[in-house]
Amino acid sequence: MDRFNDAMHQLTISDDGSYTAYSKEYNEHYHSTKDGALSESLYKHIIPAYSLTQSKEEVHILDICYGLGFNTLATVLYYKEYAPEKKLYIYSPELDSTLIKSLESFNYPKEFEVLREIIEAISRDGFYKDEKLSIEVFLGDAREYVKRFNNHFDIVYQDAFSPSVNPMLWTQEYFTDIRKAMKDDAILTTYSTALRTRLALYENGFYIYLNKGENFRNATLASCRLLSEYEKVDMEHKIHCNPDVEPLRDANR
């Protein structure tokens, strides 16, 4: 039975059986309906980032933006199963306070039922904390929020609405602030494979890698350290072949 009720969002079932929502404001779904809401979170963000940060005793994650909460909640579930000893700190800006308050009744996958206490706390208070986990949802401008941090994050989930409808969270200047907020060995994950996105990252000193697999469409990993586990994108070749393509910039977004 559909429980979720929000006038600005339409509930949509995705191909993996999990529900996402269509934003009437941005005219986009929160997740790929083809990859599936839960599958997209796991394969494009959580699993690759986890595999590259396993040695850390505690992990600080920036989840851009909270949205329906899939990335944050699936992360908690994944770490509870595979790394219950780690301390996990998740920080997530979100502009839509009405959406956050409505998520207590969202049609989450059955796997999330064990996280009911966390879901209700986030919906009610915007934060949750216990001895191993801290989640903070900041209601406001993501770009201003990111500037609070310096050399802080081990992982960034870059999962905002697409550059075509939300360009302010994909510009070269935005990724400058993201880079400052990340540790030198941190990992950034994103569903976007657009050259403009990759250029904005590349201009900020990131190496660009292809994240691909059988369960999802291609995605991108970005790191300021070299990675041997993923296929490196030859950005100089891409630039040579596409000389007219430029990253989004604040001045022309």
Side-chain angles (χ1 to χ4, degrees), residues 14-218:
S14 59
D15 284 2
D16 69 354
S18 60
Y19 283 92
T20 186
Y22 181 80
S23 169
K24 297 177 184 178
E25 178 181 1
Y26 287 95
N27 295 317
E28 279 190 357
H29 287 96
Y30 279 84
H31 306 91
S32 164
T33 56
K34 294 184 181 298
D35 292 322
L38 182 56
S39 294
E40 184 170 59
S41 289
L42 286 171
Y43 293 111
K44 294 185 181 180
H45 298 285
I46 294 155
I47 293 174
Y50 172 82
S51 70
L52 295 167
T53 57
Q54 287 187 65
S55 62
K56 296 178 180 287
E57 294 182 1
E58 62 179 48
V59 180
H60 294 256
I61 300 174
L62 176 62
D63 182 9
I64 303 281
C65 296
Y66 191 80
L68 304 178
F70 270 77
N71 289 342
T72 289
L73 296 172
T75 296
V76 173
L77 203 63
Y78 196 86
Y79 278 72
K80 281 181 177 293
E81 180 172 356
Y82 294 103
E85 75 287 353
K86 289 186 189 291
K87 289 187 176 181
L88 191 59
Y89 301 85
I90 304 177
Y91 308 75
S92 187
E94 173 55 52
L95 199 58
D96 191 343
S97 60
T98 301
L99 174 64
I100 296 297
K101 293 184 182 301
S102 73
L103 292 179
E104 184 177 358
S105 62
F106 189 78
N107 299 52
Y108 284 116
K110 64 181 185 303
E111 292 91 338
F112 286 5
E113 279 305 309
V114 296
L115 306 178
R116 175 52 50 184
E117 180 183 356
I118 297 173
I119 292 169
E120 292 176 353
I122 296 299
S123 180
R124 181 182 65 247
D125 305 318
F127 66 88
Y128 174 85
K129 188 173 184 179
D130 60 32
E131 65 277 4
K132 290 289 187 180
L133 173 64
S134 175
I135 302 173
E136 172 186 286
V137 175
F138 170 77
L139 298 176
D141 186 342
R143 291 198 58 161
E144 292 303 313
Y145 182 67
V146 167
K147 292 176 182 177
R148 298 182 181 185
F149 302 95
N150 183 59
N151 192 36
H152 188 81
F153 296 108
D154 303 291
I155 295 168
V156 174
Y157 299 148
Q158 174 59 25
D159 200 19
F161 283 116
S162 73
S164 62
V165 299
N166 193 18
M168 65 184 297
L169 295 185
W170 298 91
T171 67
Q172 189 270 342
E173 293 87 350
Y174 163 77
F175 284 119
T176 296
D177 292 333
I178 290 290
R179 175 64 190 94
K180 291 176 181 176
M182 296 170 66
K183 296 177 182 176
D184 289 340
D185 62 348
I187 301 298
L188 181 145
T189 63
T190 181
Y191 63 86
S192 177
T193 59
L195 182 54
R196 298 187 80 181
T197 297
R198 289 174 165 178
L199 281 172
L201 289 161
Y202 184 69
E203 287 192 0
N204 278 291
F206 287 93
Y207 298 106
I208 310 302
Y209 294 89
L210 178 63
N211 177 19
K212 64 180 180 179
E214 295 180 358
N215 302 298
F216 60 98
R217 291 177 298 166
N218 290 350

